[in-house]
Each structure stands twice: as C-alpha cells, then as structure tokens.
Amino acid sequence: MMLLSKTSKVILLTVLTSICFPIFAAGDAQRTVLITGSNRGIGLEFVNQYAAADWRVIATCRSPSKADELQLIADDYSNVVVEQLDVTDAGSVAALAARYVDQPIDLLINNAALLGPRSDQAFNNQDFELAAMQYEVNALGPLRVTQAFINNVREAGPGKVIILGSAAGSNGYLKPPADFYSYRASKAALHFMAHNLAQELASEEIIIGLINPGLVDTRGLADIGPDDPVPEDYAQIVKLIRAGIIKLTPPADSVKAMRQLIDSLSIEQSGVFLNFDGQVMPW
Ligand SMILES: NC(=O)c1ccc[n+]([C@@H]2O[C@H](COP(=O)([O-])OP(=O)(O)OC[C@H]3O[C@@H](n4cnc5c(N)ncnc54)[C@H](OP(=O)(O)O)[C@@H]3O)[C@@H](O)[C@H]2O)c1
C-alpha cells in the first residue's frame, strides 16, 4: 500500500474538502418555513415537526405574549423564532415582510383560519360580521401574506406556497346537513384564490399546494370522557365520534402526512385540491 507523506495527506485532504464541502453544504443547507396561526392546532404541530427536523421556523401568531405552548417550543429549539402576524392587518403583514427582505423562504404555510361557532353560521342565524371576518381571515389573509412574501419564496429558488383548504369548502365533497354557511363559503373562495395563484406563478415554477388536512382533532374531542361536559357546538360531532361513525385524525398524524406530501409536490399538482394523504379532492 502506498504510504503518503504528511504534506501529501494535507494536500489530499484540502482537495477533498474543497470538492466535497460545497456539495454537502448545498444538500444540508437549513431550509426556512414561515407558518401563520402557529400558536395552536395544526399550526403549532407544524412548528413542532419542522423544528425537530432542523428547519429554521418563523412561527407567526397574533399574540406572541399569549402563545404559551409556542413559546415553550421556541425555548427548546434555537431554530424557532416567534413573530407577530395578524393576517387581516396589512400593517402587521408589511412590517414582518420588511424584517425578512431578501431572506429566502422555502415554504410559506398559510394555515391561519377562523372557523367560528357553528350556531352563528346557520340559515336562520347567520352572524354577518363573523362572515365578513371569515372572508378576511380565510380567503384574503392567505392572498395578502403570499403577496407580501412571494419574493422570499422566489429567493428560495423557488420555494413552495402551501394553503390549507378544507373539505368544508368543496361542493363535490360535502353532503347535508347545510351548516357552517360562512366558513364553507370563505374556504370555497380560498380555493379559487389558490387556483388563481397557481396559474399566476406557474411560469416561475412556484408550486401552490392546496391541502385539506383531514378532520383533525385540534379541539381534543376524542379525549372527552363519557362523564365530561361536551361544549354545545361539538355535541353532534362527539356523538358521531362515540358511535364510531366519524374518526378524527390526531394533529401529529395529519401534519406528518402533509409534510411528506409537501415534500413531494410537483408543479403539475400546483393549485390542485389534495387531501393530506395525496388523493385528489373534488372542487
Ligand atoms: N381541524 C380540522 O379538522 C380542519 C379541517 C379542514 C381544514 N382545516 C384548516 O386547517 C387550518 C388549521 O386548522 P386548525 O384546526 O388548527 O385551526 P384552529 O385550531 O382553529 O387554529 C386557527 C389558528 O389561526 C389563527 N388565526 C385566526 N385568526 C387569525 C388572524 N387574523 N391572523 C393570524 N392568525 C389567526 C388562530 O390564532 P388565535 O389563537 O389568535 O385565534 C389559530 O392559531 C385552518 O386553515 C383550517 O381551516 C382544519
């Protein structure tokens, strides 16, 4: 076996490092995700999982000082930064975008939404102020946020924009009873925003992932015991869960599946309404 001198070993090491390092550096570069509405529910779980996967996480929410669970995650992970962002407030969106100018964002997750009480969204009892706010948060919010951060997504070479849609906004999917009038309408509007964005950004190869997260147990309904009080709004769904007629997906499972789907999304799937398991959803 040929023995190398100390100088030859140093030269060889230097050459190998200079060849290999850029490759490893490019492959291992930390990716960045920005998530809206990340203080609870699915948004919080996205933070959890992307933080553990060593992404740089810009975790946004309306009131960081009240976001106790999110702050605990940020205490554990130095790669998580908590930022204030109200998706209905143009000033709040612009202020955050200004702080991140020229910084690549690989993934922009439009998660924030307003469901509102079921009882206030019935034919005979629609709260119209709530309906207007749902349109602001659910349909216009993602458009406003995507507009503000699209250059960051471009900078990422490009990155992807994710929009959490809902089966509740699908004409083809839902059956009676007729309920959640304004939430459903706001999500249907959001789906069209996503469709337009996909067409708008196709030439730049920016993928718009429109995803239904499934029926996700963000209210802990599966854990309500037989003797526990059930909030009136959820009485019907808890009955169906107990009867085994509907099954809720735990947030961790939904987010894990969505992360895999997001990773694999192709430009052909841009703007297509997909279930969290990758199946195409009807409009
Ligand atoms: N859970 C499901 O079964 C299900 C099914 C289909 C679709 N989705 C969609 O999945 C997404 C997440 O659902 P989820 O169940 O996790 O919702 P959630 O538990 O109701 O949480 C909604 C999040 O949005 C935030 N938010 C509300 N208004 C906001 C605003 N103006 N600006 C910024 N953030 C705002 C909330 O913050 P605050 O705490 O400050 O209110 C909260 O963090 C939503 O888009 C929802 O429509 C969920």
Side-chain angles (χ1 to χ4, degrees):
M1 195 170 87
M2 194 178 72
L3 290 177
L4 295 174
S5 69
K6 199 174 171 187
T7 320
S8 308
K9 278 183 189 162
V10 171
I11 293 169
L12 188 62
L13 195 67
T14 313
V15 170
L16 282 176
T17 309
S18 66
I19 293 169
C20 296
F21 183 70
I23 297 168
F24 289 137
D28 287 355
Q30 192 176 37
R31 287 173 292 172
T32 299
V33 56
L34 187 151
I35 303 159
T36 66
S38 70
N39 55 305
R40 61 187 164 100
I42 292 171
L44 186 71
E45 186 56 32
F46 268 126
V47 175
N48 238 327
Q49 295 194 19
Y50 279 113
D54 205 27
W55 284 57
R56 174 180 177 234
V57 182
I58 306 167
T60 74
C61 61
R62 287 196 288 188
S63 310
S65 62
K66 295 183 195 151
D68 296 342
E69 281 187 81
L70 179 58
Q71 296 291 356
L72 284 176
I73 300 177
D75 289 346
D76 283 348
Y77 289 98
S78 59
N79 49 323
V80 175
V81 55
V82 178
E83 298 278 14
Q84 197 280 336
L85 184 70
D86 182 333
V87 302
T88 64
D89 178 346
S92 162
V93 175
L96 189 65
R99 284 167 30 70
Y100 284 87
V101 168
D102 293 338
Q103 296 192 36
I105 292 178
D106 300 271
L107 212 50
L108 176 62
I109 303 187
N110 288 289
N111 163 78
L114 175 59
L115 174 63
R118 181 172 185 262
S119 50
D120 292 344
Q121 302 174 64
F123 177 57
N124 289 321
N125 189 39
Q126 174 64 54
D127 177 337
F128 288 95
E129 277 179 25
L130 170 66
M133 187 47 80
Q134 283 168 318
Y135 189 70
E136 270 291 332
V137 178
N138 300 351
L140 299 182
L143 181 62
R144 185 179 287 115
V145 169
T146 302
Q147 207 180 49
F149 288 96
I150 199 65
N151 279 336
N152 306 77
V153 175
R154 287 187 175 114
E155 287 280 330
K160 296 173 186 170
V161 176
I162 304 303
I163 291 175
L164 289 212
S166 175
S170 156
N171 284 319
Y173 189 82
L174 278 183
K175 301 178 181 69
D179 62 1
F180 284 107
Y181 269 64
S182 46
Y183 175 73
R184 286 184 179 189
S186 70
K187 282 292 183 178
L190 171 66
H191 295 174
F192 276 87
M193 296 283 184
H195 196 66
N196 268 3
L197 282 169
Q199 291 184 356
E200 182 86 42
L201 298 165
S203 62
E204 298 184 60
E205 301 271 308
I206 296 177
I207 296 170
I208 306 296
L210 175 61
I211 305 178
N212 172 50
L215 202 49
V216 185
D217 194 7
T218 47
R219 303 286 185 270
L221 301 182
D223 297 332
I224 297 179
D227 300 326
D228 295 335
V230 180
E232 202 189 313
D233 243 29
Y234 300 113
Q236 203 183 3
I237 192 167
V238 169
K239 247 189 235 166
L240 296 173
I241 295 167
R242 286 182 178 158
I245 294 169
I246 63 166
K247 196 175 172 312
L248 297 185
T249 305
D253 294 356
S254 166
V255 169
K256 188 175 172 215
M258 282 195 279
R259 284 178 52 228
Q260 280 167 1
L261 176 62
I262 290 168
D263 243 15
S264 70
L265 281 177
S266 66
I267 193 73
E268 290 72 32
Q269 291 169 302
S270 187
V272 177
F273 187 28
L274 297 172
N275 200 25
F276 68 109
D277 59 9
Q279 297 292 312
V280 175
M281 295 280 294
W283 278 92

